[in-house]
Amino acid sequence: YERTCRYFAKKSDSVFVSVGYRLAPEYPFPTQFEDCLAAAVHFMRIAEDYGVDPARVITCGDSSGGTLAAAVAQAMTNRKDLPKLRAQMLIYPFLQAANFNLPSYEQNRGVPVLLKKRTLSLGLKYINKEQSAIDEILKHAHIPRDLELKYKEWLNSDNIPEDFKPRDYQEGKENQISEDLYRSFKPFLDPVFSPLLAEDTVIAQLPETFILSCEFDVLRDDALMYKNRLENHGIKVTWCHLEQGFHGII
């Protein structure tokens, strides 16, 4: 990522800090979030040493880095000892592990590099869990009925513009819930893992946001639904959609 970071720094005339957070599976979730949050807090405290106004700091990340950038931005809403973040930039981010049957997951299930099942497989490695539960999780057996009803407002395909839905798309059917699966995979529903599932009180405090989505990406609809939630709370969103884009294009 050094070349990408140098490009961003040069083109934006900004100080760019790339966080070398520890990686799963050797360091499982939520180590990565904790490393990124610690780095963000530390940098904001010493920003002026680098000629940076601490009130003009932006979190940024792509893919799972977009997850971390979003999670850090949410965590920073509660800080009283630091200035507010100026903005967050989320580049084709992974934002939720509650619904793997959205239109983008159906449309792009076999599109490289991020195949539908590979997305879930990587998530399981992230939390050090066995791969044997993939099929059950794809059927949403890890979501208790009460949480399913709670998430429905945020994860409803009505929040996705009609242009992004195949003509034959149908919402997933009700599935048999497994309490054991829910207990085992509870981290999937933690807002640190799934920022789209954060409470409204947190979403309403987030800073101005840039979101990039790609047409040929299973994560496209995560971005669209987060955009919708942010805008519903009056957050200014700049959205860039690449019609010929695919996951990892940066």
Side-chain angles (χ1 to χ4, degrees):
Y1 275 84
E2 182 178 349
R3 186 177 178 183
T4 303
C5 293
R6 287 181 177 275
Y7 178 84
F8 278 148
K10 183 178 180 181
K11 288 291 183 178
S12 62
D13 192 23
S14 304
V15 173
F16 207 91
V17 180
S18 180
V19 181
Y21 57 83
R22 291 169 288 177
L23 302 177
E26 291 79 9
Y27 298 95
F29 171 86
T31 304
Q32 297 70 26
F33 164 74
E34 292 167 349
D35 285 356
C36 289
L37 180 61
V41 170
H42 175 69
F43 180 75
M44 289 187 80
R45 285 176 174 158
I46 63 166
E48 292 179 349
D49 294 348
Y50 292 88
V52 173
D53 179 350
R56 297 186 66 192
V57 173
I58 299 169
T59 60
C60 177
D62 80 313
S63 194
S64 57
T67 317
L68 293 168
V72 167
Q74 291 183 1
M76 297 289 275
T77 62
N78 294 321
R79 304 289 305 213
K80 305 301 182 188
D81 56 328
L82 295 168
K84 296 285 188 184
L85 285 173
R86 174 63 185 85
Q88 59 177 342
M89 296 179 63
L90 312 179
I91 300 170
Y92 37 74
F94 174 93
L95 294 172
Q96 58 86 28
N99 188 342
F100 294 98
N101 293 318
L102 296 167
S104 61
Y105 270 104
E106 294 302 300
Q107 173 189 321
N108 301 306
R109 62 192 306 140
V111 176
V113 292
L114 199 59
L115 309 178
K116 179 176 178 175
K117 283 196 172 182
R118 184 164 188 254
T119 306
L120 184 48
S121 175
L122 291 171
L124 292 171
K125 289 178 181 178
Y126 190 21
I127 61 172
N128 270 359
K129 296 293 183 181
E130 293 295 325
Q131 302 286 306
S132 57
I134 284 181
D135 288 337
E136 284 188 276
I137 293 174
L138 288 175
K139 295 176 183 176
H140 308 151
H142 64 305
I143 312 288
R145 199 67 67 202
D146 59 330
L147 288 181
E148 189 176 45
L149 291 171
K150 176 181 178 179
Y151 298 155
K152 192 165 186 179
E153 178 185 356
W154 307 333
L155 299 177
N156 195 311
S157 65
D158 290 345
N159 298 329
I160 300 167
E162 290 299 321
D163 290 348
F164 291 95
K165 298 178 197 173
R167 290 181 182 176
D168 57 350
Y169 175 74
Q170 295 180 337
E171 293 280 2
K173 300 176 182 177
E174 278 197 5
N175 297 295
Q176 192 67 37
I177 307 303
S178 167
E179 287 296 331
D180 289 341
L181 207 65
Y182 166 61
R183 284 191 291 270
S184 183
F185 294 94
K186 210 170 180 180
F188 266 13
L189 308 179
D190 186 324
V192 169
F193 193 100
S194 295
L196 186 55
L197 305 183
E199 297 294 335
D200 286 336
T201 51
V202 174
I203 299 294
Q205 298 181 70
L206 288 171
E208 183 176 347
T209 301
F210 170 87
I211 296 177
L212 184 141
S213 59
C214 293
E215 180 64 25
F216 302 108
D217 181 5
V218 291
L219 304 183
R220 181 198 68 202
D221 294 346
D222 282 19
L224 297 180
M225 291 188 297
Y226 205 49
K227 171 181 177 290
N228 184 73
R229 278 201 78 190
L230 291 166
E231 290 178 335
N232 285 345
H233 286 278
I235 310 298
K236 182 181 178 183
V237 178
T238 300
W239 173 47
C240 175
H241 181 68
L242 303 181
E243 292 185 356
Q244 298 300 318
F246 52 88
H247 194 82
I249 196 170
I250 294 294

